Amino acid sequence: MEVVPVRAFKDNYVWTLRNETHAAVVDPGEAGPVLDYLGREHLKLVAVLATHHHRDHVGGIADLLEKFRVPVFGPKNEPIPTLTQPVSEGDRVSIPELGVSFSVLDIPGHTRAHVAYYGAGALFCGDTLFACGCGRLFEGTADQMFKSLSKIAALPDNTKVYCGHEYTLANIGFAKTVEPQNNALNAREARDRKLRDAGKPTVPSTLGDEKATNPFLRCREPAVIESANKYLGTRLADPVRVFAAIRDWKNNS
Ligand code: ZN
Ligand code: FE
């Protein structure tokens, strides 16, 4: 199985899982670019996976269903009218045509029932963990998001992280204000800038990269704690409060 990015809107990725003949798509916010890709590659769509209900992730599903009658997997407790297979933590999603299956993780915070799909060494995590950043807290609390990110961080370091947007360079810019002395972060910036200059995606990253550079996964690091304290003008060490502080800082930066 190969995973190919199909671009949608300005900076969304519709992750397309494919072999020679069949494909499944994750978070098709738009149908047009997906239908173009499937047509060009002569692929038959066999499944749609949605991570959360935002339009830029599910807006293309209805049009895809006009052309392909396929199961639509997505979070049980979110308003997605096109859903046919509601899923939550512990469920499995099998795509026999691609010989792959995923386990479902509940990762609320960005939205109230956001899910991720984990399998074949890959994690499709929508707008929860971004490359060097994390999603905004639209429907959840800092506590929920911190728990969701901790659940993701417990997966193997070589897990490939497929997030929903190309936000990496902007995220790295913010990460550097939090942790200016982080060498891994500076190395990542050089590498990812080169990729963007060449018109290539910076996604997927690996979970190991994220743990070394993503401030939202580093809320127990002394340098991150210190920066959060400076931002708030207080003295706190509890990782959830550190997380909330840098999330707030990013919103206002
Ligand atoms: Zn979203
Ligand atoms: Fe999004």
Side-chain angles (χ1 to χ4, degrees), residues 133-138 140-143 145-146 149 174 177-178 215-216 219 224 227-234 236 239-253:
C134 80
R136 287 173 185 262
L137 306 178
F138 286 122
T141 63
D143 191 56
M145 188 61 139
F146 183 81
L149 293 174
F174 173 74
T177 66
V178 179
F216 297 100
C219 296
V224 174
S227 287
N229 279 332
K230 252 186 217 154
Y231 171 72
L232 288 179
T234 55
L236 49 85
V240 178
R241 299 194 55 200
V242 170
F243 171 79
I246 58 174
R247 185 57 267 179
D248 186 64
W249 184 1
K250 173 95 175 17
N251 291 348
N252 295 314
S253 69

Side-chain angles (χ1 to χ4, degrees), residues 30-107:
E30 266 191 304
V34 173
L35 291 170
D36 287 349
Y37 178 79
L38 297 175
R40 204 161 59 234
E41 299 286 320
H42 310 290
L43 297 171
K44 186 177 173 215
L45 187 69
V46 293
V48 173
L49 282 65
T51 61
H52 67 293
H53 71 89
H54 285 160
R55 260 205 91 68
D56 64 312
H57 297 253
V58 301
I61 296 176
D63 283 347
L64 292 176
L65 292 178
E66 302 255 305
K67 187 111 203 275
F68 300 97
R69 302 291 314 164
V70 299
V72 179
F73 299 88
K76 180 157 74 180
N77 293 313
E78 291 203 359
I80 305 173
T82 48
L83 214 66
T84 64
Q85 323 291 130
V87 296
S88 60
E89 180 93 17
D91 288 336
R92 285 195 81 78
V93 171
S94 294
I95 310 174
E97 296 87 344
L98 298 176
V100 69
S101 77
F102 298 98
S103 53
V104 177
L105 306 177
D106 284 341
I107 48 167

Side-chain angles (χ1 to χ4, degrees), residues 2-209:
E2 197 188 341
V3 184
V4 178
V6 170
R7 285 156 189 270
F9 306 112
K10 198 167 69 90
D11 51 29
N12 279 71
Y13 289 125
V14 181
W15 294 108
T16 302
L17 325 182
R18 61 163 291 183
N19 57 20
E20 288 293 298
T21 47
H22 294 86
V25 290
V26 182
D27 286 351
E30 266 191 304
V34 173
L35 291 170
D36 287 349
Y37 178 79
L38 297 175
R40 204 161 59 234
E41 299 286 320
H42 310 290
L43 297 171
K44 186 177 173 215
L45 187 69
V46 293
V48 173
L49 282 65
T51 61
H52 67 293
H53 71 89
H54 285 160
R55 260 205 91 68
D56 64 312
H57 297 253
V58 301
I61 296 176
D63 283 347
L64 292 176
L65 292 178
E66 302 255 305
K67 187 111 203 275
F68 300 97
R69 302 291 314 164
V70 299
V72 179
F73 299 88
K76 180 157 74 180
N77 293 313
E78 291 203 359
I80 305 173
T82 48
L83 214 66
T84 64
Q85 323 291 130
V87 296
S88 60
E89 180 93 17
D91 288 336
R92 285 195 81 78
V93 171
S94 294
I95 310 174
E97 296 87 344
L98 298 176
V100 69
S101 77
F102 298 98
S103 53
V104 177
L105 306 177
D106 284 341
I107 48 167
H110 177 67
T111 57
R112 60 186 282 258
H114 197 303
V115 296
Y117 301 94
Y118 174 63
L123 178 77
F124 298 91
C125 53
D127 289 355
T128 299
L129 179 63
F130 284 128
C132 217
C134 80
R136 287 173 185 262
L137 306 178
F138 286 122
E139 298 171 9
T141 63
D143 191 56
Q144 282 178 319
M145 188 61 139
F146 183 81
K147 280 196 187 112
S148 296
L149 293 174
S150 302
K151 189 187 284 185
I152 290 172
L155 299 173
D157 276 1
N158 62 359
T159 303
K160 287 185 177 167
V161 178
Y162 292 90
C163 60
H165 292 266
E166 179 63 57
Y167 288 161
T168 315
L169 290 184
N171 286 342
I172 289 174
F174 173 74
K176 283 174 65 181
T177 66
V178 179
E179 257 193 308
Q181 316 287 4
N182 182 336
N183 290 329
L185 183 56
N186 292 316
R188 183 176 191 175
E189 181 178 40
R191 184 194 70 193
D192 285 349
R193 196 174 288 285
K194 219 178 263 175
L195 285 169
R196 293 309 292 148
D197 286 346
K200 294 183 180 147
T202 62
V203 185
S205 60
T206 67
L207 198 51
D209 286 340

